[in-house]
Amino acid sequence: MNDADWLAHRFETHREHLRAVAYRMLGSLSEADDAVQESWLRLSRSDTSDVQNLAGWLTTVVGRVCLDMLRSRKARREEFVPDPIITREDDGPEESVLLADSVGLALLVVLDTLTPGERLAFVLRDMFAMPFEQIAPIVGRSEAATRQLASRARRRVQGAPVAPDPDVARQRAVVDAFLAAARGGDFEALVSVLAPDVVLRADRGAERGGSIEVTGAAAVAGQALTFSRLGAGGGTVRRALVNGAAGVVATREGRPFSVLGFTVAGGRIVAIDILADPARLDRLDLAVLD
């Protein structure tokens, strides 16, 4: 094995960790892969002979790449629906553990409200236990200021009403009631399973009208009545876990049409996140549902 092969092998041993960091930072699977690839390019161009902690070095690099990507996104003022991680409802405990280690869609949405610096400090410290002395140079702040970034982020995350019902079976019962009411065109039944301040976020892609956000049970119920058409024209709606929570994948002619992730709390739906952008849907791995 030559030096290049040895370096590539060492990088591959850290790839999944780096992808996990990048996904939590960005909420986008494709952008996470781009950030990981950029970290490999920087590694391959660098002299790391004196680097004793390669995992820490790579985490720092991918953190800086993600920080730049987040700042660019914030500058464009983009509405963002996170990329979902799709798994089967009957996956075994090993898969459940892996998924639980990802992060729920509701938390990803809250993380997207943080400043780029707050998000990086929170993710690296609270999710990966990285020392503040290593995080501070990434955000270009003192260690004390970096602690404040993480503290502000933590307060905002803990103060957000996003904690879902931990029982997936109870989540599923609420989601099934929502889908039945949508298919039946029952407006009152829809409203009954929605929290008064429910939020629906959808990324439909540029060709389908862009991103929308709808708030309030009545408004969301009105939007949801369109879901009754998802099963028409040879389409199907399949149960799935979306980042560990009850969700559905709608397909037409064998291709994904939309992915719906639900946040259920207190027996009602408090958030619905819909990914219907064809370009982003094409990048999802839905083979796990077969």
Side-chain angles (χ1 to χ4, degrees), residues 45 48 89 105 142 262:
R45 295 194 296 258
T48 57
E89 283 196 323
L105 284 181
S142 68
F262 296 84

Side-chain angles (χ1 to χ4, degrees), residues 31-243:
E31 289 183 359
D33 287 336
D34 289 343
V36 172
Q37 181 62 21
E38 177 62 24
S39 70
W40 159 246
L41 293 175
R42 296 190 185 187
L43 173 64
S44 65
R45 295 194 296 258
S46 301
D47 178 6
T48 57
S49 57
D50 60 345
V51 174
Q52 297 181 0
N53 181 2
L54 185 61
W57 189 90
L58 286 169
T59 301
T60 297
V61 170
V62 84
R64 285 176 172 148
V65 173
C66 290
L67 191 61
D68 289 342
M69 296 171 76
L70 281 176
R71 286 169 173 164
S72 177
R73 182 192 297 169
K74 291 289 185 182
R76 296 193 300 268
R77 299 178 182 273
E78 294 178 351
E79 293 292 335
F80 183 72
V81 174
D83 281 345
I85 296 175
I86 312 297
T87 52
R88 294 164 56 96
E89 283 196 323
D90 57 356
D91 276 342
E94 295 83 1
E95 289 80 3
S96 299
V97 169
L98 289 173
L99 187 63
D101 191 47
S102 60
V103 67
L105 284 181
L107 178 55
L108 285 174
V109 170
V110 174
L111 291 179
D112 208 50
T113 67
L114 305 177
T115 68
E118 289 171 344
R119 184 167 185 168
L120 182 137
F122 177 81
V123 167
L124 293 184
R125 178 60 182 177
D126 286 49
M127 295 184 175
F128 294 96
M130 192 171 184
F132 282 116
E133 63 186 38
Q134 295 179 24
I135 301 173
I138 304 176
V139 293
R141 303 283 188 95
S142 68
E143 187 174 332
T146 303
R147 288 179 181 273
Q148 288 298 315
L149 284 177
S151 179
R152 286 201 302 270
R154 196 175 300 118
R155 287 196 298 269
R156 293 177 66 180
V157 170
Q158 293 174 346
V162 299
D165 188 326
D167 190 322
V168 176
R170 287 202 293 266
Q171 293 179 27
R172 174 54 60 192
V174 175
V175 171
D176 284 350
F178 168 87
L179 295 172
R183 286 192 296 267
D186 190 335
F187 182 84
E188 295 301 324
L190 278 169
V191 171
S192 72
V193 297
L194 297 171
D197 55 351
V198 61
V199 178
L200 180 150
R201 292 172 288 262
D203 179 359
R204 301 172 295 183
E207 295 181 0
R208 292 180 178 175
S211 299
I212 62 169
E213 182 172 308
V214 180
T215 305
V220 171
Q223 287 285 326
L225 291 177
T226 62
F227 298 158
S228 61
R229 298 195 297 271
L230 290 177
T236 60
V237 176
R238 303 175 65 181
R239 289 179 169 188
L241 291 179
V242 178
N243 283 55

